Amino acid sequence: MTVSHYFDTMDYGPAPESDAEARQWLARHPEGFSHFIGGRPAAPSAGARFDTFEPATGAPLARLAQGSAADVDAAVAAARAAQPAWEALGGHGRARHLYALARLVQRHARLLAVVEALDNGKPIRETRDIDVPLVARHFYHHAGWAQLQEREFADQQPLGVVGQIVPWNFPLLMLAWKIAPALALGNTVVLKPAEFTSLSALLFAELAAQAGLPAGVLNVVTGDGATGAALVAHPGVDKIAFTGSTDVGRLIREQTAGSGKSLTLELGGKSPFIVFEDADLDAAVEGVVDAIWFNQGQVCCAGSRLLLQEPIAQDFIARLRVRMQSLRAGTPLDKAIDMGSLVAPIQLERVRKLVEAGVREGATCFQPDIALPAGGSFYPPTLLTDVHPASTVATEEIFGPVLVAMTFRTPDEAVALANNTRYGLAASVWSETIGLALGVAPQLQAGVVWINATNLFDAAVGFGGYRESGYGREGGREGCFEYLKPRAWAARKPRPAAAPQPAAEAPSLDLPALDRTAKLFVGGKQARADGEGVLSVLSHAGRLVGEVAAGNRKDIRNAVAAARAAAGWSGATPHRRAQGLYYIAENLALRADEFAARLVSTTGVDAAAARVEVERALGRLFAYGAWADKFEGAVHVPPMRGVALAMVEPIGVVGVACPDEAPLLSFVSLVAPLLAMGNRVVAIPGERHPLSAIDLCQVLEASDLPAGVINVVTGRHDALLPTLAAHDDVDACWSFGSAGSAALVERLSTGNLKRTLVDHGLATDWHDDAAAEGPAFLRHATQVKNIWVPYGD
Ligand code: NAD
């Protein structure tokens, strides 16, 4: 026997963590668990309970309360009652509570880790070393934001009562990601954990109450999707923060449309793991293990699509198969295992079926010959090769330990393949050439990119999706804004009903010549509308002052196509974008008198007020010219050797419906921040006074904006807005105008989950810089991508 023989054959004996303390805690709830409302357990009002099971054995674990609408109502009432005092406590007071919660997590780390492993089926090694430490880190970090709130978010205020719904894959971590920022910034919470895994939330709530968290600040209502739906529907909730599947996210968007509730969605993914030929292949193999077998692949940002550069593909697959052979699956409390159980038999069945479908569609399936415990919901690590990019397993989120592999030849092909998904949560790039890796990262449509690493998380580094992986960020400064609203917006009042249009007077011969049928502005030039229809534009006194084209669906589609084609603007340097805006301002200044006269003749304001509006529009163009190269990202220093680069990126093509009031200033106030940040715009001017926007198109034509960067389609909003809001090539849609338009935009945004910014019929004072200019708009005009760059050997 040689030493190397022992090394090769050495096996690990079981190293079980004790579950005694966790079982004692469970035994203290012999009747089953209740909700946690107003600082204490609250039995389900309808008396309904359901069983949950230990995934690794299938044995019953606990009885949980099934939340009814009445339970949700009681929890929302408790949260509402607690909110004013919690907000009034101030940043420092809340910081102390958050700090206490962080300490509490550390004090009870072992119990929390064991409960989580028992309840979810994941290895104790992960709950102990990853989930629980990240939970504590999240509370510490957000204790800091609470402390700094009055200084760093002085112009913001909390939203109020927040409903939060989380999935089963990281029950405690998702709780922390949700409640830490919400509570830190002065909101109170009703949390609905996933029905499979509610125990750590109930334990946390109990411990938090013992630690002195005021009653009603954190409420937990357990139950299934119906309980979640009741929370979403509750009129007393100011915001819904949801993490879960894209389908349910879409449903929630539809159900909250027009309600005025703010919404963040952290949804599914199908993240690429790209290995270039110059990568450190052994490191990348270990990366794959972390990417897809961490938490049995039940990870929203799992690197589930392995993209290999052709020259190394065979070698890489061979090494990966060898590595898979040494993975150990076993009971979650064994500290020596790599993989535990899937969460439930239903999930096991789903994974099985998807793998079968993959094989039917031509994939080759490899599963190592490793032992799986009997019973429970264990599934082996699985590698599918010979996978077509359009096949089910390459496009559907499997949410299990299943990796699909494909190959590419060039970096461009890698980017195209990586982005060939409706999702956009995360991506991993492996290359020893820093220029290549950092060149590829900005081209990937994903909220998080890891260079030569995977599944790194930190409370200071925002996490969240692009495209159908949802919107909003958790963690970091950007995550804080998801639980705040600008004070200036909170003060808005419903827009006064518009005075009825005066009856049109017949034009008389001594009137100045009419501007007959102004054209649309599409692809950098004036364009004739598709239909023959025209809209009369009347002055405030009912005089006919012009006609504009009544655009139709086809005009919107043409405008969107032109905006899509102008992708170069999104890659233009901030300096170049600033120059574009200053140039528009310069040209507008040359024609200031003409624009003022137009405002007088159309809106009826006096000459001085019109002049002020033109001056403010000029000022706003200058302001966004200034912001273009100053609204920047950040360099985070998470606890590792490396940095995370928070890049501020444009959203893409954005549709904007403008209001009637202050027609020049409101148009500029909405379009300029989007252009400054590199978006391309399709704008619909206010219906009543569209001529200022049309005049501005002549200015745009004479400026140096590339064709298609801004497109203007006049017409009736009810005819144009549905097409714009539902268009799959539009990435975001803004609506300022009626409450009905806001609801319509939110409802129709669900197809491709476009980002929305709507005013819900509340009037903005466009002359007030606090309400109408600056970072609040810029944040909506951008999305943050965090690129993790570890360094050192
Ligand atoms: P799910 O959408 O079925 O359930 C998530 C939560 O929503 C659960 O608490 C569930 O009870 C609740 N729910 C179900 N129907 C509802 C309804 N109609 N109204 C309100 N609430 C409802 O998702 P899941 O299967 O539990 O979790 C897996 C999904 O979560 C995956 O798609 C995964 O990618 C995603 N996920 C995303 C992130 C992220 O940060 N982006 C993190 C973890 C998981």
Side-chain angles (χ1 to χ4, degrees), residues 26 318 652:
L26 288 168

Side-chain angles (χ1 to χ4, degrees), residues 25-26 29 31-35 42-44 49 61-65 199 202-203 206 222:
W25 175 70
L26 288 168
H29 301 82
E31 307 298 319
F33 286 83
S34 293
H35 307 302
R49 285 202 161 83
L61 188 62
R63 266 184 92 61
L64 299 181
L199 292 176
L202 292 168
L203 172 58
E206 268 181 28
T222 55

Side-chain angles (χ1 to χ4, degrees), residues 586-606:
E586 203 181 297
N587 285 341
L588 177 58
L590 291 174
R591 294 174 58 181
D593 293 343
E594 204 184 305
F595 273 85
R598 175 70 91 187
L599 290 170
V600 171
S601 76
T602 53
T603 65
V605 292
D606 64 27

